[in-house]
Amino acid sequence: MAAIASLRTSLFRSGTYYYQPTLPGSRLGYEAAGVVEAVGEGVTAYQPGDPVMAAANFDFGVHGVYAERVLLPEESVIRRPAGVDAVTSAAAWLSYSTAYGGMVETAGLAPGDHVVITGASSGVGTAALQTALRVGAIPIATTRGEAKRQRLLELGAAHVITTDSEDLAKEVRRFTGGKGAEVAFDAIGGPGFAALGDALAPGGAAVLYGWLDPRPAQLSMNWPQTVHMYANGVPASTESYRRRASAFIGSGLADGTLAPVIAETFDGLEAMADAHRLMESNAHTGKIVVALG
């Protein structure tokens, strides 16, 4: 079995997530992949031996996947894509389903569209770059400094903006011939959210899926635009969305257009603290995986 050390688990562990632990019984861990060992009464969709991954549609106060064996309800399990190993599968579902659900299903990202992707070196950010390319869109990545610029270009970003030294809206308009981007996909929020709105073309869509900046998000006066507050656990709770996202991710993994970027793989549950330290250092690009058992 393999699990992921993610930003949301780090925030939850430190008490800074958008909801608080339900003590003493809260668990930890959202993303994992493994093999079914047993099924409960009435479960017909899976049987022992099936390779599966967690759907990441549950509350940490109820379920968690930092363990060698976990118990999840049927609706929180998804069949792994054929031929895909546990490490790759653990790194795939949440990142790619968030990118697909937020950019494609929610914002309507289409071929030829420009999309601004903030926090582009994260697990979801790198998945968003690949997802945008897979639908024929043009990804513009943002990062705070120069250290990750070249890596983001190698991962498929058409352009990279370093927000510590460059004007985001001005650069986006330069890259788009003055018209602005059709979509912004944001993990940060806060006052800087207004700059993303400034960078949109008229009628564009901004999707806020994270709150790395806990301050209130500010809106742009660049009207008209649509703002979406996206939480992947909501659509992932429906069978129809899980089916569509699974088909998109599975076919992308099969043809190679989607390939999770794995920063480092740790071995054993005892290495989880080291994995979280790497996550909190922000020195990595992509997903951090822990192999369990």
Side-chain angles (χ1 to χ4, degrees):
M1 179 170 166
I4 299 292
S6 67
L7 179 60
R8 73 180 63 213
T9 54
S10 176
L11 293 172
F12 186 79
R13 191 204 76 242
S14 62
T16 55
Y17 201 45
Y18 75 93
Y19 63 85
Q20 293 297 301
T22 305
L23 299 177
S26 277
R27 285 72 179 270
L28 197 58
Y30 214 40
E31 305 164 75
V35 175
V36 174
E37 287 196 355
V39 298
E41 184 179 352
V43 174
T44 58
Y46 303 100
Q47 60 185 2
D50 285 346
V52 295
M53 51 191 176
N57 57 0
F58 46 81
D59 189 309
F60 287 139
V62 180
H63 299 291
V65 296
Y66 282 1
E68 294 179 357
R69 290 179 174 84
V70 301
L71 179 64
L72 291 174
E74 182 177 359
E75 61 271 18
S76 292
V77 174
I78 300 169
R79 195 173 299 277
R80 272 161 48 188
V84 180
D85 61 75
V87 169
T88 302
S89 296
W93 170 258
L94 181 60
S95 294
Y96 287 113
S97 64
T98 299
Y100 166 79
M103 296 193 304
V104 179
E105 293 218 354
T106 300
L109 186 69
D113 285 351
H114 287 83
V115 54
V116 182
I117 300 168
T118 68
S121 64
S122 69
V124 175
T126 56
L129 291 173
Q130 295 177 11
T131 299
L133 291 171
R134 188 160 196 260
V135 301
I138 304 163
I140 300 172
T142 80
T143 184
R144 285 182 294 182
E146 288 290 332
K148 297 179 180 180
R149 177 189 290 273
Q150 185 57 41
R151 181 59 175 146
L152 291 171
L153 291 170
E154 292 169 356
L155 289 171
H159 309 282
V160 177
I161 300 170
T162 55
T163 55
D164 283 351
S165 59
E166 295 179 305
D167 185 297
L168 187 148
K170 181 178 179 180
E171 290 299 291
V172 170
R173 295 199 175 277
R174 180 168 71 88
F175 296 143
T176 59
K179 68 182 181 65
E182 285 76 19
V183 175
F185 188 58
D186 183 38
I188 301 170
F193 190 66
L196 285 171
D198 294 343
L200 289 177
V207 178
L208 179 59
Y209 74 93
W211 294 96
L212 294 180
D213 187 334
R215 295 174 293 176
Q218 295 183 5
L219 299 183
S220 169
M221 301 270 305
N222 177 28
W223 294 346
Q225 60 182 254
T226 302
V227 175
H228 300 274
M229 317 297 271
Y230 182 80
N232 197 58
V234 175
S237 296
T238 68
E239 189 281 330
S240 59
Y241 174 78
R242 295 196 299 272
R243 173 177 48 80
R244 294 192 302 274
S246 293
F248 181 86
I249 295 168
S251 60
L253 292 173
D255 66 21
T257 55
L258 303 182
V261 177
I262 297 175
E264 188 167 344
T265 300
F266 292 83
D267 290 318
L269 192 59
E270 65 277 6
M272 193 61 73
D274 291 331
H276 272 243
R277 291 187 186 99
L278 176 58
M279 168 60 61
E280 291 163 355
S281 75
N282 196 36
H284 65 290
T285 297
K287 304 292 281 189
I288 300 169
V289 182
V290 181
L292 305 171

